[in-house]
Amino acid sequence: MSRFSIQRYPSNVLLALAGAAILFVSGAQDAAAQASNTVESTQGLPTFVMPPSGPFSPNRIEIPNARAIASWMRGGHSDSASESFRHWDEEGAIPPVCATCHSGQGFRSFHGLDGSEKGPPEQPVPVGGVVDCETCHNANLGSVTEISLSSGVNHPVIVGEAACVTCHQGRAAGATVTRAVGEKPDDQPDPELRFINPHYALAAATALGGYGGLGYQYPDQTYSGRFLHAKPVQTCLSCHDPHNLEVVADTCLMCHTTGDPDLIRITRQSHDGSGDTSKGIKHDIAANAARLKSMIFDYAAEVAGTPVVYNGEGYPYFFTDANGDGLADEGDGGPIAYNAWTPRLLKAVYNYKFVTSDHGIHVHNPHYALELLYDSMKDLSEPLGVDFAALGLLR
């Protein structure tokens, strides 16, 4: 039996999630379709690795891993039509630094699991790959015992979290912001400053908290470390189905009265000034993130001197609104990226994006999220003349 690689699912293959089986159209026509869709990379390595294959048909041959494949197909890691894997279609290849997490082939190259030297692939990787089976099931993955974070911290990992931490730590850290602002005056716009993007889906970064140092941490403050949760929760797989990534509610119910993470509250005090402790901690984080965003807008207009607008759907998200009409100013190339960054504003915006880029931060590390938001708001309040204590917020 041999492995095959596919750039896209063959058009004559019908994948049906019926209990534990996946139905593959069998016969020579199917084999020919698979072969016609085989794409080899510039390095001679498969773009898309699936389990050992054959003319599968449930009434003729058993598929031992059918349940796992069916589950995987329901998750985001297999969604070959998503922006995560289609972003580079026009270019025809994925840059090496991006391929590490946006292609199974790139991941294996980065860790040397394919026999190559460790590090990003030497050449761009062809589009069409996803987080395939061998990304997490490669026999050599157990040799990865440490992940270097963007903050410079070398974090020890076990095989069950090596892939997760590699790709869900983001591509920037608080140290990135610190280096960018240097000794520049806090409230003076500097044309050399640019938006720093922490990246997306930052579960591993937020879970590590202050120990990981991936948020911007104000020098005069201390921060909660890794959120170890409770003893049964040790890695990402303690709560997430390893294939479809869904949260296993039964894990929550071991300690909480509900399996809905949005309703769980881990503190008896109100952090958002509302005094309401009947709602989940997610609501406090969301309220403080919204308040920080409002303060960012006020600071940009009143202190930096150039209003800003935010568009969460388009990089670099923050755009110039010089006339204050609530719309991004347009240039020859489209909306004009915000260009009046001050060090103080850059720090707050980085933390806003860091917190809001992890939609599960209320579970992964609510303490760290609340601390970053609180400190960012407090820092902006001084030049804005806001009576911060009067807001009733708690760190």
Side-chain angles (χ1 to χ4, degrees), residues 267-347:
T267 175
R268 296 181 180 179
Q269 60 186 15
S270 170
H271 293 265
D272 62 2
S274 68
D276 184 359
T277 57
S278 65
K279 57 194 178 184
I281 198 63
K282 177 180 181 179
H283 296 275
D284 288 39
I285 294 172
N288 283 357
R291 188 186 293 272
L292 173 58
K293 181 180 177 182
S294 178
M295 293 179 72
I296 286 170
F297 287 178
D298 291 343
Y299 178 94
E302 299 173 23
V303 181
T306 302
V308 65
V309 292
Y310 176 75
N311 177 6
E313 300 299 319
Y315 180 87
Y317 312 112
F318 294 88
F319 300 92
T320 298
D321 177 23
N323 60 8
D325 65 353
L327 301 173
D329 297 341
E330 293 286 335
D332 293 338
I336 300 174
Y338 192 72
N339 54 14
W341 295 105
T342 71
R344 195 188 303 269
L345 181 59
L346 193 65
K347 296 170 187 177

Coordinates of all heavy atoms in Angstrom, one line a residue, residues 267-347:
T267 N -14.3 34.1 38.6 CA -14.0 35.1 39.6 C -15.3 35.7 40.2 O -16.3 35.7 39.5 CB -13.2 36.3 39.0 OG1 -13.0 37.3 40.0 CG2 -13.9 36.9 37.8
R268 N -15.3 36.1 41.5 CA -16.5 36.6 42.1 C -16.5 38.1 42.1 O -17.4 38.7 42.8 CB -16.5 36.1 43.6 CG -16.6 34.6 43.7 CD -16.7 34.1 45.1 NE -16.8 32.7 45.2 CZ -16.8 32.0 46.4 NH1 -16.8 32.7 47.5 NH2 -17.0 30.7 46.4
Q269 N -15.7 38.7 41.4 CA -15.7 40.2 41.3 C -15.9 40.6 39.8 O -15.7 39.9 38.9 CB -14.4 40.8 41.8 CG -13.2 40.4 41.1 CD -11.9 40.9 41.7 OE1 -11.9 41.3 42.8 NE2 -10.8 40.8 41.0
S270 N -16.5 41.8 39.7 CA -16.7 42.4 38.4 C -15.5 43.2 37.9 O -15.0 44.0 38.6 CB -17.9 43.3 38.4 OG -18.1 44.0 37.2
H271 N -15.0 42.8 36.7 CA -13.8 43.5 36.1 C -14.2 44.6 35.2 O -13.3 45.4 34.9 CB -13.0 42.4 35.4 CG -12.4 41.4 36.3 ND1 -11.1 41.5 36.8 CD2 -12.9 40.3 36.8 CE1 -10.8 40.5 37.6 NE2 -11.9 39.7 37.6
D272 N -15.4 44.6 34.7 CA -15.8 45.6 33.7 C -16.5 46.8 34.2 O -17.0 47.7 33.5 CB -16.6 45.0 32.6 CG -17.9 44.4 33.1 OD1 -18.2 44.5 34.3 OD2 -18.7 43.8 32.3
G273 N -16.7 46.9 35.6 CA -17.3 48.1 36.2 C -18.8 47.9 36.3 O -19.5 48.9 36.8
S274 N -19.4 46.8 35.7 CA -20.8 46.7 35.7 C -21.4 46.2 37.1 O -22.6 46.4 37.4 CB -21.3 45.7 34.6 OG -20.8 44.4 35.0
G275 N -20.6 45.5 37.8 CA -21.0 45.0 39.1 C -21.8 43.7 38.9 O -22.2 43.0 39.9
D276 N -21.9 43.2 37.7 CA -22.7 42.0 37.4 C -21.8 40.8 37.4 O -20.9 40.7 36.5 CB -23.4 42.1 36.0 CG -24.3 41.0 35.7 OD1 -24.3 40.0 36.5 OD2 -24.9 41.0 34.6
T277 N -21.9 39.9 38.3 CA -21.1 38.7 38.4 C -21.9 37.4 38.1 O -21.5 36.3 38.3 CB -20.5 38.5 39.8 OG1 -21.5 38.5 40.8 CG2 -19.5 39.7 40.1
S278 N -23.1 37.6 37.5 CA -23.9 36.5 37.1 C -23.6 36.0 35.7 O -24.0 34.9 35.4 CB -25.4 36.9 37.2 OG -25.7 37.9 36.2
K279 N -22.8 36.7 35.0 CA -22.5 36.3 33.6 C -21.1 35.7 33.5 O -20.4 35.8 34.5 CB -22.6 37.5 32.7 CG -21.6 38.6 33.1 CD -21.9 40.0 32.4 CE -21.0 41.1 33.0 NZ -21.3 42.4 32.4
G280 N -20.9 35.0 32.4 CA -19.6 34.4 32.2 C -18.4 35.4 32.1 O -18.7 36.6 31.8
I281 N -17.2 35.0 32.5 CA -16.1 36.0 32.4 C -15.8 36.5 31.0 O -15.2 37.5 30.8 CB -14.8 35.3 33.0 CG1 -13.8 36.4 33.4 CG2 -14.2 34.3 32.1 CD1 -14.2 37.3 34.5
K282 N -16.3 35.7 30.0 CA -16.2 36.2 28.6 C -16.8 37.6 28.4 O -16.2 38.4 27.7 CB -16.9 35.2 27.7 CG -16.8 35.6 26.2 CD -17.6 34.5 25.4 CE -17.5 34.9 23.9 NZ -18.2 33.9 23.0
H283 N -17.8 37.9 29.1 CA -18.5 39.2 29.0 C -17.7 40.3 29.5 O -17.6 41.4 29.0 CB -19.9 39.1 29.6 CG -20.8 38.1 29.0 ND1 -21.6 38.5 27.9 CD2 -21.1 36.8 29.2 CE1 -22.3 37.4 27.5 NE2 -22.0 36.4 28.3
D284 N -17.0 40.1 30.6 CA -16.1 41.1 31.2 C -15.0 41.4 30.2 O -14.6 42.6 30.0 CB -15.5 40.6 32.5 CG -16.6 40.6 33.7 OD1 -17.7 40.3 33.4 OD2 -16.2 41.0 34.8
I285 N -14.4 40.3 29.7 CA -13.3 40.5 28.7 C -13.8 41.3 27.5 O -13.1 42.2 27.0 CB -12.7 39.2 28.3 CG1 -12.0 38.5 29.5 CG2 -11.7 39.3 27.2 CD1 -11.6 37.1 29.3
A286 N -14.9 40.9 27.0 CA -15.5 41.6 25.8 C -15.8 43.1 26.1 O -15.5 43.9 25.2 CB -16.7 40.9 25.3
A287 N -16.3 43.3 27.2 CA -16.7 44.7 27.6 C -15.4 45.6 27.7 O -15.4 46.7 27.3 CB -17.5 44.7 28.9
N288 N -14.4 45.0 28.4 CA -13.1 45.8 28.5 C -12.4 45.9 27.2 O -11.8 47.0 26.9 CB -12.2 45.1 29.5 CG -12.7 45.4 31.0 OD1 -13.7 46.1 31.2 ND2 -12.0 44.8 31.9
A289 N -12.5 45.0 26.3 CA -11.9 45.1 25.0 C -12.6 46.2 24.2 O -12.0 47.0 23.5 CB -12.0 43.8 24.2
A290 N -13.9 46.3 24.3 CA -14.7 47.3 23.6 C -14.3 48.7 24.2 O -14.2 49.7 23.4 CB -16.2 47.1 23.7
R291 N -14.2 48.8 25.5 CA -13.8 50.0 26.1 C -12.4 50.5 25.7 O -12.1 51.6 25.4 CB -13.8 49.9 27.6 CG -13.6 51.3 28.3 CD -13.6 51.1 29.8 NE -14.8 50.7 30.4 CZ -15.8 51.5 30.8 NH1 -15.6 52.8 30.7 NH2 -16.9 51.0 31.3
L292 N -11.5 49.5 25.6 CA -10.1 49.8 25.1 C -10.1 50.3 23.7 O -9.5 51.3 23.3 CB -9.2 48.6 25.2 CG -7.8 48.7 24.6 CD1 -7.0 49.9 25.2 CD2 -7.0 47.4 24.8
K293 N -10.9 49.7 22.8 CA -11.1 50.1 21.4 C -11.6 51.5 21.4 O -11.1 52.3 20.6 CB -12.0 49.2 20.7 CG -12.2 49.5 19.2 CD -13.2 48.5 18.6 CE -13.5 48.8 17.2 NZ -14.5 47.8 16.6
S294 N -12.5 51.9 22.2 CA -13.1 53.2 22.2 C -12.0 54.2 22.6 O -11.9 55.3 22.0 CB -14.3 53.3 23.1 OG -14.8 54.6 23.2
M295 N -11.2 53.9 23.6 CA -10.1 54.7 24.1 C -9.0 54.9 23.0 O -8.4 55.9 22.9 CB -9.5 54.2 25.4 CG -10.5 54.3 26.6 SD -9.8 53.6 28.1 CE -8.7 54.9 28.5
I296 N -8.8 53.8 22.3 CA -7.8 53.9 21.1 C -8.3 55.0 20.1 O -7.5 55.8 19.6 CB -7.7 52.5 20.5 CG1 -6.9 51.6 21.4 CG2 -7.0 52.6 19.1 CD1 -6.8 50.1 21.0
F297 N -9.6 54.9 19.8 CA -10.1 55.9 18.9 C -10.0 57.3 19.4 O -9.6 58.3 18.7 CB -11.6 55.6 18.6 CG -11.8 54.4 17.7 CD1 -13.1 54.0 17.4 CD2 -10.8 53.7 17.2 CE1 -13.4 52.9 16.6 CE2 -11.0 52.6 16.4 CZ -12.3 52.2 16.1
D298 N -10.3 57.5 20.7 CA -10.2 58.8 21.3 C -8.7 59.3 21.3 O -8.5 60.5 21.0 CB -10.7 58.8 22.7 CG -12.2 58.6 22.8 OD1 -12.9 58.8 21.8 OD2 -12.7 58.2 23.9
Y299 N -7.8 58.4 21.7 CA -6.4 58.8 21.7 C -5.9 59.2 20.3 O -5.2 60.2 20.2 CB -5.6 57.7 22.3 CG -4.1 57.9 22.4 CD1 -3.5 58.4 23.5 CD2 -3.3 57.7 21.2 CE1 -2.1 58.7 23.6 CE2 -1.9 58.0 21.3 CZ -1.4 58.5 22.4 OH 0.0 58.7 22.5
A300 N -6.2 58.4 19.3 CA -5.8 58.7 18.0 C -6.2 60.1 17.5 O -5.4 60.8 16.9 CB -6.3 57.6 17.0
A301 N -7.5 60.4 17.8 CA -8.0 61.7 17.4 C -7.5 62.9 18.2 O -7.1 63.9 17.7 CB -9.5 61.7 17.4
E302 N -7.4 62.7 19.5 CA -7.2 63.8 20.4 C -5.7 64.0 20.8 O -5.2 65.1 21.0 CB -7.9 63.6 21.7 CG -9.4 63.6 21.6 CD -10.2 63.2 22.8 OE1 -9.6 63.4 23.9 OE2 -11.3 62.7 22.8
V303 N -4.9 62.9 20.8 CA -3.5 63.0 21.2 C -2.6 62.8 20.0 O -1.7 63.6 19.7 CB -3.2 61.9 22.3 CG1 -1.7 62.1 22.7 CG2 -4.1 62.1 23.5
A304 N -2.8 61.7 19.2 CA -2.0 61.5 18.0 C -2.3 62.5 16.9 O -1.5 62.8 16.1 CB -2.1 60.1 17.5
G305 N -3.5 63.0 17.0 CA -3.9 64.1 16.0 C -4.5 63.6 14.7 O -4.8 64.4 13.8
T306 N -4.6 62.3 14.5 CA -5.2 61.7 13.3 C -6.2 60.6 13.7 O -5.8 59.6 14.2 CB -4.1 61.1 12.4 OG1 -3.1 62.1 12.1 CG2 -4.7 60.6 11.1
P307 N -7.5 60.8 13.4 CA -8.5 59.8 13.7 C -8.2 58.5 13.0 O -7.6 58.5 11.9 CB -9.8 60.4 13.2 CG -9.5 61.9 13.2 CD -8.1 62.1 12.8
V308 N -8.6 57.4 13.6 CA -8.4 56.1 13.1 C -9.8 55.4 13.0 O -10.7 55.6 13.8 CB -7.4 55.3 14.0 CG1 -8.0 55.0 15.4 CG2 -7.0 54.0 13.3
V309 N -9.9 54.5 12.0 CA -11.0 53.6 11.9 C -10.5 52.1 11.9 O -9.3 51.9 11.5 CB -11.9 53.8 10.6 CG1 -12.6 55.2 10.7 CG2 -11.0 53.7 9.4
Y310 N -11.3 51.2 12.3 CA -10.9 49.8 12.4 C -11.8 49.0 11.5 O -13.0 49.1 11.4 CB -11.1 49.4 13.8 CG -10.8 47.9 14.1 CD1 -9.5 47.4 14.0 CD2 -11.8 47.0 14.3 CE1 -9.2 46.1 14.3 CE2 -11.6 45.6 14.5 CZ -10.2 45.2 14.5 OH -10.0 43.9 14.7
N311 N -11.1 48.1 10.7 CA -11.8 47.1 9.9 C -11.2 45.7 10.2 O -10.1 45.4 9.7 CB -11.7 47.4 8.4 CG -12.3 46.4 7.5 OD1 -13.0 45.5 8.0 ND2 -12.1 46.5 6.2
G312 N -11.9 44.9 11.0 CA -11.4 43.6 11.4 C -11.3 42.6 10.3 O -10.7 41.5 10.5
E313 N -11.8 42.9 9.1 CA -11.8 42.0 8.0 C -10.6 42.2 7.0 O -10.4 41.4 6.1 CB -13.1 42.1 7.2 CG -14.3 41.8 8.0 CD -14.3 40.4 8.5 OE1 -13.9 39.5 7.8 OE2 -14.7 40.2 9.7
G314 N -9.9 43.3 7.2 CA -8.8 43.6 6.2 C -7.5 44.1 6.9 O -7.6 45.1 7.6
Y315 N -6.5 43.4 6.6 CA -5.1 43.9 7.1 C -4.8 45.2 6.5 O -5.0 45.4 5.3 CB -4.1 42.8 6.8 CG -2.7 43.1 7.2 CD1 -2.3 42.8 8.5 CD2 -1.8 43.8 6.4 CE1 -1.0 43.1 9.0 CE2 -0.5 44.1 6.8 CZ -0.1 43.8 8.1 OH 1.1 44.1 8.5
P316 N -4.2 46.2 7.2 CA -3.7 46.1 8.6 C -4.7 46.6 9.6 O -4.3 47.0 10.7 CB -2.5 47.0 8.5 CG -2.8 48.1 7.6 CD -3.6 47.4 6.5
Y317 N -6.0 46.5 9.3 CA -7.1 46.6 10.3 C -7.3 48.1 10.7 O -8.5 48.5 10.9 CB -6.9 45.7 11.5 CG -6.6 44.3 11.1 CD1 -5.3 43.8 11.4 CD2 -7.5 43.5 10.4 CE1 -5.0 42.5 11.0 CE2 -7.2 42.2 10.0 CZ -5.9 41.7 10.3 OH -5.6 40.5 9.9
F318 N -6.3 48.8 10.9 CA -6.4 50.2 11.4 C -6.0 51.1 10.3 O -4.9 51.1 9.7 CB -5.5 50.4 12.6 CG -5.9 49.7 13.8 CD1 -5.5 48.4 14.0 CD2 -6.8 50.2 14.7 CE1 -5.9 47.6 15.1 CE2 -7.2 49.5 15.8 CZ -6.8 48.2 16.0
F319 N -7.0 52.1 9.9 CA -6.8 52.9 8.8 C -7.0 54.4 9.1 O -7.7 54.7 10.1 CB -7.8 52.5 7.7 CG -7.6 51.1 7.2 CD1 -8.3 50.0 7.8 CD2 -6.7 50.8 6.2 CE1 -8.1 48.7 7.4 CE2 -6.5 49.4 5.8 CZ -7.2 48.4 6.4
T320 N -6.4 55.2 8.3 CA -6.4 56.7 8.6 C -7.8 57.2 8.2 O -8.4 56.9 7.2 CB -5.4 57.4 7.7 OG1 -4.1 56.9 8.2 CG2 -5.4 58.9 7.9
D321 N -8.3 58.1 9.1 CA -9.6 58.8 8.8 C -9.4 60.3 9.1 O -9.9 60.8 10.1 CB -10.7 58.2 9.7 CG -12.0 58.9 9.6 OD1 -12.3 59.5 8.6 OD2 -12.8 58.8 10.6
A322 N -8.6 60.9 8.3 CA -8.1 62.3 8.5 C -9.3 63.3 8.7 O -9.2 64.2 9.5 CB -7.2 62.8 7.5
N323 N -10.4 63.0 7.9 CA -11.5 64.0 8.0 C -12.5 63.6 9.1 O -13.6 64.3 9.2 CB -12.2 64.1 6.6 CG -12.7 62.8 6.1 OD1 -12.7 61.8 6.9 ND2 -13.2 62.8 4.9
G324 N -12.3 62.5 9.8 CA -13.2 62.1 10.9 C -14.6 61.7 10.5 O -15.5 61.8 11.3
D325 N -14.8 61.2 9.3 CA -16.1 60.9 8.9 C -16.5 59.4 9.2 O -17.6 59.0 8.8 CB -16.3 61.2 7.4 CG -15.4 60.3 6.5 OD1 -14.6 59.5 7.0 OD2 -15.6 60.4 5.2
G326 N -15.6 58.7 9.8 CA -15.8 57.3 10.2 C -15.5 56.4 9.1 O -15.8 55.2 9.3
L327 N -15.0 56.8 8.0 CA -14.6 56.0 6.9 C -13.1 56.1 6.6 O -12.5 57.1 6.8 CB -15.4 56.3 5.6 CG -16.9 56.3 5.7 CD1 -17.5 56.8 4.4 CD2 -17.4 54.8 6.0
A328 N -12.5 55.0 6.2 CA -11.1 55.0 5.9 C -10.8 55.9 4.7 O -11.5 55.9 3.7 CB -10.6 53.6 5.6
D329 N -9.8 56.7 4.8 CA -9.4 57.5 3.6 C -8.8 56.6 2.5 O -8.2 55.6 2.8 CB -8.3 58.5 4.1 CG -8.7 59.5 5.1 OD1 -10.0 59.7 5.2 OD2 -7.9 60.1 5.8
E330 N -9.1 57.0 1.3 CA -8.7 56.2 0.2 C -7.5 56.8 -0.5 O -7.4 58.0 -0.7 CB -9.9 56.1 -0.8 CG -11.1 55.3 -0.3 CD -10.8 53.8 -0.3 OE1 -10.0 53.3 -1.1 OE2 -11.5 53.1 0.5
G331 N -6.6 55.9 -1.0 CA -5.4 56.3 -1.8 C -5.4 55.5 -3.1 O -6.4 54.9 -3.4
D332 N -4.4 55.6 -3.8 CA -4.3 54.9 -5.1 C -4.4 53.4 -4.9 O -5.0 52.7 -5.8 CB -3.0 55.3 -5.8 CG -2.9 56.7 -6.2 OD1 -4.0 57.3 -6.4 OD2 -1.8 57.2 -6.4
G333 N -3.9 52.9 -3.8 CA -3.9 51.5 -3.6 C -5.1 51.0 -2.7 O -5.1 49.8 -2.3
G334 N -6.0 51.8 -2.4 CA -7.1 51.5 -1.6 C -7.1 52.2 -0.2 O -6.5 53.3 -0.2
P335 N -7.7 51.7 0.8 CA -7.7 52.4 2.1 C -6.2 52.6 2.6 O -5.3 51.8 2.4 CB -8.4 51.4 3.0 CG -9.1 50.5 2.1 CD -8.4 50.4 0.9
I336 N -6.0 53.8 3.2 CA -4.7 54.2 3.7 C -4.5 53.7 5.1 O -5.2 53.9 6.0 CB -4.6 55.7 3.7 CG1 -4.8 56.3 2.2 CG2 -3.2 56.2 4.2 CD1 -4.8 57.8 2.2
A337 N -3.4 52.9 5.2 CA -3.1 52.3 6.6 C -2.8 53.5 7.5 O -2.3 54.5 7.1 CB -1.9 51.4 6.4
Y338 N -3.2 53.3 8.8 CA -2.9 54.3 9.8 C -1.5 54.6 9.9 O -0.6 53.7 9.9 CB -3.5 53.9 11.1 CG -3.5 55.0 12.1 CD1 -4.5 56.0 12.0 CD2 -2.6 55.1 13.2 CE1 -4.6 57.1 12.9 CE2 -2.7 56.2 14.1 CZ -3.6 57.1 13.9 OH -3.7 58.2 14.8
N339 N -1.2 55.9 9.9 CA 0.2 56.3 9.8 C 0.7 57.4 10.8 O 1.6 58.1 10.6 CB 0.5 56.9 8.4 CG -0.5 58.0 8.0 OD1 -1.2 58.5 8.9 ND2 -0.5 58.3 6.7
A340 N -0.1 57.4 11.9 CA 0.3 58.4 13.0 C 0.5 57.7 14.3 O 0.1 58.2 15.4 CB -0.8 59.4 13.1
W341 N 1.2 56.5 14.2 CA 1.4 55.7 15.4 C 2.3 56.5 16.4 O 3.4 57.0 16.0 CB 2.0 54.4 15.1 CG 1.1 53.5 14.3 CD1 1.2 53.3 12.9 CD2 0.0 52.8 14.7 NE1 0.2 52.4 12.5 CE2 -0.6 52.1 13.6 CE3 -0.6 52.7 16.0 CZ2 -1.7 51.3 13.7 CZ3 -1.7 51.9 16.1 CH2 -2.3 51.2 15.0
T342 N 1.9 56.4 17.7 CA 2.9 56.8 18.7 C 3.2 55.5 19.5 O 2.5 54.5 19.4 CB 2.2 57.8 19.7 OG1 1.2 57.1 20.5 CG2 1.5 59.0 19.0
P343 N 4.3 55.5 20.3 CA 4.6 54.3 21.0 C 3.5 53.9 21.9 O 3.2 52.7 22.0 CB 5.9 54.7 21.8 CG 6.5 55.7 20.9 CD 5.4 56.5 20.3
R344 N 2.8 54.8 22.6 CA 1.8 54.5 23.5 C 0.6 53.8 22.8 O 0.0 52.9 23.3 CB 1.3 55.7 24.3 CG 0.4 55.4 25.5 CD -0.2 56.7 26.1 NE 0.8 57.7 26.5 CZ 1.3 57.8 27.7 NH1 1.0 56.9 28.6 NH2 2.2 58.7 28.0
L345 N 0.3 54.4 21.6 CA -0.9 53.9 20.9 C -0.5 52.5 20.3 O -1.4 51.6 20.3 CB -1.2 54.8 19.7 CG -2.4 54.4 18.8 CD1 -3.6 54.3 19.6 CD2 -2.5 55.5 17.7
L346 N 0.7 52.3 19.9 CA 1.1 51.0 19.3 C 1.0 49.9 20.3 O 0.6 48.8 20.0 CB 2.5 51.1 18.7 CG 3.0 50.0 17.8 CD1 2.2 49.9 16.5 CD2 4.5 50.1 17.5
K347 N 1.4 50.2 21.5 CA 1.3 49.2 22.6 C -0.1 48.8 22.9 O -0.4 47.6 23.0 CB 2.0 49.7 23.9 CG 3.4 50.0 23.8 CD 3.9 50.8 25.0 CE 5.3 51.3 24.8 NZ 5.8 52.1 26.0

